[in-house]
Amino acid sequence: MRQRIRSRPGHPMTLAAEPRDPWRYRWVVLGVATFTQAAAGFFVQGIGSIGVHLQQGLELSTTQLGLLVSAAQLAPLAGLLAAGELLDRVNERWVVGIGAVVVALCLAAGGLAPGYPALLAVLFVAGIGYSAVQPGGSKSVAAWFDTSRRGLAMGIRQAGLPLGAALASAALPFLAEAYGWRATLVAGGAMALLGAAVFMACYRRPPVRSGGAARRPAPEGYSRRQLLRSPAMVRIMLSGTSLIATQYGVGVLTVLYLHKTAALAVGPAALILVAAQLAGAAGRIVLAALSDRIASGRYATVAACMIAVIAGMTVLLTPAGRSPATAAAVLIWLGFFGYGWYGPWVAAVAEAAPPDRTGFALGLAMSANQIAIILIPPLLGLLIDTSGSFTPAWGLLIAMTLTALLATARRRS
């Protein structure tokens, strides 16, 4: 505790304790929420880096590989809404912590999975636990930071996902090569358990604000249907579903694309995926901080990301996209914008509803994203399997993003 000198007329100087600002703890909360996000998403976000190992070990097609990602994301389609409702009623510490423990136990059990169907089932159940981690961590950060810093804080917190993915992409291929694909699930479970322990030990709810206006409650009769139909939420969901499709497309296809189209070995291709994910982590922080400062607001930053990913994927459709150097540069570009959009986007979600509806708004928007997360990886795999080319896959992602960009721009005008 800091001290300061206090004196009064006719009295000697005394040392008085200066109270510590309790709001400084927000940076601890931010760090804890970021680490837990990275730890809980470690394995699922790293599946793309061991795609070749999984295909060889389990004799999978590209479609089946995509279904592994979908299996982990199927439960959150409904689970995110339930978690959002729960977060508006229960301390985030228990919701996030217990959710991460469920992820850890399921992944550890996955190390014993006898084959592909059992692995699908394990990842599905793990997705139930992950349903609580994503909106819970976002709500905890939103509660501690006001709007002037919320974009930056959300960007840092959401950087946990690509940071965890980058760490997984660097570590999991070596684990799979040395010990087999089962060891990668055990490692993922250990990481998720560590994240749960840290969050439950360190998270605190913010103190009650003294002075100033009370937090704005939901208006009388304000319904969830009204929130769903609001122009801001419609823009959020349209832009989110298109950009999350790009994010998962980059995560699942980068190593396969570089290995099969640009003729790179699996090791160097995985390192490029790591670089793309690190670029995405930087993008989430930089773009979210930018959205705090520009007059046009958060949507303008998200729209710029949509334009950037369209441009990058268009290059991959040209002959230049088959060059290892060009493909690597474009995929890192797509990492920056194709992952980076999430920082300003999730801050926009947190601000789209009254504070006592924040959990529901986060769950609703993230549930909309889950539809794309579930459908896109196997659909991209099917397009590649049936055509023998990555062109239809990149073309689909371009079409989705362009359609969403035009639709949201029209709604905003």
Side-chain angles (χ1 to χ4, degrees), residues 11-404:
H11 293 271
M13 289 187 178
T14 59
L15 288 177
E18 182 178 308
R20 185 174 296 172
D21 179 10
W23 287 95
R24 292 176 62 183
Y25 196 75
R26 64 180 176 265
W27 299 109
V28 175
V29 170
L30 178 58
V32 166
T34 301
F35 175 75
T36 303
Q37 174 74 27
F42 178 81
F43 177 78
V44 173
Q45 297 300 321
I47 284 180
S49 68
I50 56 171
V52 175
H53 298 90
L54 289 170
Q55 283 186 320
Q56 294 172 352
L58 294 169
E59 298 181 351
L60 304 181
S61 67
T62 311
T63 305
Q64 289 174 310
L65 179 64
L67 282 171
L68 287 177
V69 178
S70 295
Q73 303 294 342
L74 184 59
L77 184 60
L80 283 165
L81 283 173
E85 288 282 2
L86 191 61
L87 284 163
D88 287 334
R89 294 170 170 80
V90 180
N91 192 317
E92 296 92 325
R93 173 192 293 174
W94 305 112
V95 178
V96 175
I98 293 172
V101 168
V102 171
V103 173
L105 295 176
C106 290
L107 291 179
L112 303 174
Y116 180 69
L119 185 57
L120 283 174
V122 164
L123 290 177
F124 171 79
V125 179
I128 297 174
Y130 189 69
S131 299
V133 176
Q134 177 72 304
S138 295
K139 186 173 186 291
S140 66
V141 172
W144 274 91
F145 288 84
D146 59 27
T147 55
S148 66
R149 292 183 176 178
R150 187 172 294 151
L152 174 61
M154 285 293 196
I156 293 172
R157 190 263 170 179
Q158 296 301 332
L161 195 67
L163 284 173
L167 179 59
S169 297
L172 294 184
F174 294 100
L175 277 175
E177 192 71 33
Y179 303 105
W181 60 267
R182 296 177 189 277
T184 63
L185 279 97
V186 176
M191 284 293 294
L193 187 61
L194 179 60
V198 170
F199 193 89
M200 294 178 78
C202 300
Y203 179 71
R204 304 285 186 275
R205 277 190 163 178
V208 177
R209 294 182 183 273
S210 59
R215 300 186 73 194
R216 176 175 57 96
E220 185 71 24
Y222 188 91
S223 69
R224 292 166 177 80
R225 183 175 297 179
Q226 287 175 296
L227 176 62
L228 176 61
R229 291 178 176 177
S230 69
M233 187 58 71
V234 171
R235 285 198 302 270
I236 283 167
M237 290 192 291
L238 287 174
S239 59
T241 51
S242 67
L243 285 167
I244 203 74
T246 298
Q247 177 179 316
Y248 275 78
V250 171
V252 173
L253 298 183
T254 291
V255 174
L256 295 175
Y257 178 81
L258 291 170
H259 182 59
K260 295 181 178 180
T261 302
L264 280 181
V266 173
L271 289 177
I272 291 171
L273 176 58
V274 171
Q277 289 161 337
L278 289 174
R284 290 192 173 194
I285 297 170
V286 171
L287 294 171
L290 181 64
S291 75
D292 282 336
R293 290 167 172 77
I294 60 174
S296 47
R298 314 245 188 240
Y299 173 78
T301 309
V302 175
C305 291
M306 297 168 79
I307 294 170
V309 300
I310 291 170
M313 288 185 292
T314 301
V315 174
L316 294 179
L317 295 179
T318 69
R322 293 191 287 272
S323 162
T326 302
V330 169
L331 288 164
I332 292 171
W333 168 276
L334 289 173
F336 184 87
F337 292 102
Y339 280 79
W341 64 277
Y342 204 82
W345 181 87
V346 79
V349 176
E351 294 167 2
D356 57 352
R357 294 284 191 271
T358 301
F360 177 77
L362 288 165
L364 175 65
M366 292 175 183
S367 292
N369 284 358
Q370 289 303 118
I371 298 173
I373 293 172
I374 291 166
L375 296 178
I376 286 299
L379 180 56
L380 295 178
L382 181 62
L383 288 173
I384 294 167
D385 287 339
T386 54
S387 68
S389 168
F390 285 80
T391 298
W394 298 127
L396 173 63
L397 294 175
I398 290 171
M400 287 183 62
T401 309
L402 181 59
T403 301

